[in-house]
Amino acid sequence: MLSTRASRLLVRPIPQYVTRRLLATAVQNTKSFIPVIDFTQFREAAGQPERKQVADKIVSAFKESGFIYLSGHGIPASTIQNAFSKSADFFAMLSETKDTLSWEDPRSNRGYVTVGRERVTQSADPTEIAALRAKAPDCKESMEIGRDWDAQWKNQWPQESDAPQFKSTMLDFYQTCHDLHVYVMRSIALGLDLEEGFFDKKVDEQCHNLRLLSYPPIKTTLLQNEGQARAGSHSGLLMPYRINIPTPDDTVTDYGTLTLLFQDSVGGLEVKNPHTGRFIPATPVPGTIVVNVGDLLARWSNDVLRSTLHRVVAPPAKQISDTEAITPVRQSIAFFCNPNFSAEVACLPNCGAEAKYPPVNTEQYIVGRLAVTYS
């Protein structure tokens, strides 16, 4: 339990020059672990040898840390900004309106998820997850969007009058992200010495999940609760001065092939260095997308590619009284890329003589993970 004096030290404002210095150091340290890779050459190269150079860099990084910053990705900044703007408009709607669009079923994985409903953790035990949710719910809300032409599962769209151009913007952004996913998977195939189009017919059904995320302001006294976090693992108050309260069961990996993460300037993502066990901030780098390996791609590659533990933590807080501070609003957009739900994920032929995992059906794996996350 923190004393009042200790709590005041935790929320004391940090001089601006110190903040700038800390940020510069964080960016430098992050880039040494999560490299910035320019994808322009892969997208524009006339021949495979030039693309192979980029592919080898991407696969090397995914073997080492499982994460990269992707620059030169071809998505205009205006497109990303428009998606963020329409996302903010959605979360600004009345709670009563958003609640009519509620997430209902892991097989669908579509709709609005209110603050506290989801509990991100590596645990697969429904009882343990329910207890974690009751003690320390994740402080975020989200909107989940899937492919819009699905014959069985329909997206939960707000009325056009409530959120003008929201549907059209997100459908266009979904397609844009899928197209980038195909390109990156081709680079991975080349980097693993497979045919460049090896994954094309295994991801063409677009069984992905576009997740819009809003992290509302939260008082730091609430973040002092054991296990409390923005999403996933939390080690106390994530400010330049903090105490650490490890909660390793809250760190997460993603389920599918890749995740494309679009961050705002606030940031909050931290990646666990698999070699040292320390968490490293994935500080936002303008013009880049954070791309990481998911569980199914790691499984496909027989763990040649890493699905690395990560978490979202509360950013530095603003002082609002002698004893209290409040974190800023944060937004992010995650595009969770998946294989076709009909696809069988089994060890690739050139990723080890002996498979670590039995073959698994994509849909069964992902639906099973989602079922316990929201149970």
Side-chain angles (χ1 to χ4, degrees), residues 166-288:
F166 176 80
K167 178 179 179 179
S168 60
T169 297
M170 295 310 161
L171 287 179
D172 288 346
F173 196 66
Y174 188 101
Q175 187 63 50
T176 297
C177 290
H178 167 73
D179 293 343
L180 178 59
H181 172 234
V182 172
Y183 269 110
V184 178
M185 290 300 290
R186 287 176 183 172
S187 74
I188 291 169
L190 271 184
L192 291 175
D193 297 320
L194 299 166
E195 290 294 327
E196 186 171 345
F198 178 87
F199 293 108
D200 282 8
K201 294 299 182 182
K202 298 173 176 62
V203 300
D204 60 349
E205 295 174 7
Q206 302 193 30
C207 300
H208 314 306
N209 171 234
L210 174 61
R211 170 179 285 190
L212 314 178
L213 288 149
S214 175
Y215 300 83
I218 183 170
K219 293 181 179 180
T220 52
T221 50
L222 296 176
L223 289 174
Q224 292 167 8
N225 292 337
E226 182 184 359
Q228 192 79 37
R230 286 294 200 171
S233 181
H234 176 58
S235 295
L237 305 183
L238 260 293
M239 293 178 284
Y241 298 115
R242 63 187 187 272
I243 59 171
N244 291 323
I245 309 171
T247 54
D249 290 340
D250 294 341
T251 52
V252 298
T253 53
D254 298 331
Y255 305 155
T257 50
L258 298 170
T259 299
L260 312 180
L261 178 66
F262 303 83
Q263 301 191 86
D264 65 8
S265 60
V266 176
L269 176 67
E270 291 190 339
V271 179
K272 188 174 184 178
N273 186 321
H275 308 292
T276 66
R278 297 183 61 184
F279 278 92
I280 298 174
T283 307
V285 176
T288 69

Side-chain angles (χ1 to χ4, degrees), residues 35-354:
V36 178
I37 297 178
D38 189 347
F39 204 53
T40 306
Q41 181 176 317
F42 189 91
R43 294 189 301 107
E44 298 180 356
Q48 190 175 96
E50 292 82 5
R51 294 196 296 277
K52 184 71 163 61
Q53 292 175 3
V54 181
D56 287 344
K57 292 179 183 177
I58 290 173
V59 166
S60 177
F62 283 161
K63 288 179 179 179
E64 179 68 16
S65 69
F67 275 76
I68 62 173
Y69 290 105
L70 195 69
S71 65
H73 44 72
I75 302 179
S78 59
T79 298
I80 298 171
Q81 182 54 48
N82 188 44
F84 270 95
S85 177
K86 295 299 185 290
S87 175
D89 290 345
F90 172 85
F91 290 114
M93 294 193 308
L94 295 174
S95 297
E96 294 82 357
T97 303
K98 291 182 288 186
D99 287 342
T100 64
L101 309 172
S102 289
W103 187 99
E104 295 177 346
D105 191 297
R107 294 167 295 176
S108 166
N109 195 28
R110 289 161 167 81
Y112 171 69
V113 181
T114 190
V115 173
R117 181 174 183 184
E118 181 185 14
R119 190 57 170 93
V120 178
T121 174
Q122 285 298 94
S123 175
D125 183 346
T127 302
E128 182 180 353
I129 292 173
L132 283 169
R133 185 185 293 114
K135 182 170 66 174
D138 281 347
C139 299
K140 69 179 186 299
E141 56 182 335
S142 68
M143 180 61 173
E144 315 290 333
I145 300 168
R147 58 183 186 180
D148 205 46
W149 63 88
D150 196 288
Q152 186 173 8
W153 306 109
K154 302 299 181 184
N155 282 313
Q156 306 259 36
W157 297 113
Q159 295 295 318
E160 184 69 15
S161 57
D162 291 327
Q165 299 183 322
F166 176 80
K167 178 179 179 179
S168 60
T169 297
M170 295 310 161
L171 287 179
D172 288 346
F173 196 66
Y174 188 101
Q175 187 63 50
T176 297
C177 290
H178 167 73
D179 293 343
L180 178 59
H181 172 234
V182 172
Y183 269 110
V184 178
M185 290 300 290
R186 287 176 183 172
S187 74
I188 291 169
L190 271 184
L192 291 175
D193 297 320
L194 299 166
E195 290 294 327
E196 186 171 345
F198 178 87
F199 293 108
D200 282 8
K201 294 299 182 182
K202 298 173 176 62
V203 300
D204 60 349
E205 295 174 7
Q206 302 193 30
C207 300
H208 314 306
N209 171 234
L210 174 61
R211 170 179 285 190
L212 314 178
L213 288 149
S214 175
Y215 300 83
I218 183 170
K219 293 181 179 180
T220 52
T221 50
L222 296 176
L223 289 174
Q224 292 167 8
N225 292 337
E226 182 184 359
Q228 192 79 37
R230 286 294 200 171
S233 181
H234 176 58
S235 295
L237 305 183
L238 260 293
M239 293 178 284
Y241 298 115
R242 63 187 187 272
I243 59 171
N244 291 323
I245 309 171
T247 54
D249 290 340
D250 294 341
T251 52
V252 298
T253 53
D254 298 331
Y255 305 155
T257 50
L258 298 170
T259 299
L260 312 180
L261 178 66
F262 303 83
Q263 301 191 86
D264 65 8
S265 60
V266 176
L269 176 67
E270 291 190 339
V271 179
K272 188 174 184 178
N273 186 321
H275 308 292
T276 66
R278 297 183 61 184
F279 278 92
I280 298 174
T283 307
V285 176
T288 69
I289 303 169
V290 176
V291 183
N292 66 279
V293 174
D295 291 344
L296 283 178
L297 183 55
R299 190 170 179 137
W300 230 335
S301 71
N302 214 29
D303 287 337
V304 170
L305 308 180
R306 291 182 182 271
S307 181
T308 307
L309 289 165
H310 53 278
R311 63 189 183 185
V312 175
V313 295
K318 179 181 179 181
Q319 196 81 30
I320 58 174
S321 73
D322 289 342
T323 59
E324 186 64 277
I326 191 167
T327 63
V329 174
R330 176 180 181 264
Q331 277 186 275
S332 66
I333 299 176
F335 189 74
F336 295 103
C337 311
N338 298 316
N340 297 341
F341 276 0
S342 59
E344 179 184 79
V345 174
C347 179
L348 295 171
N350 58 346
C351 288
E354 184 175 345

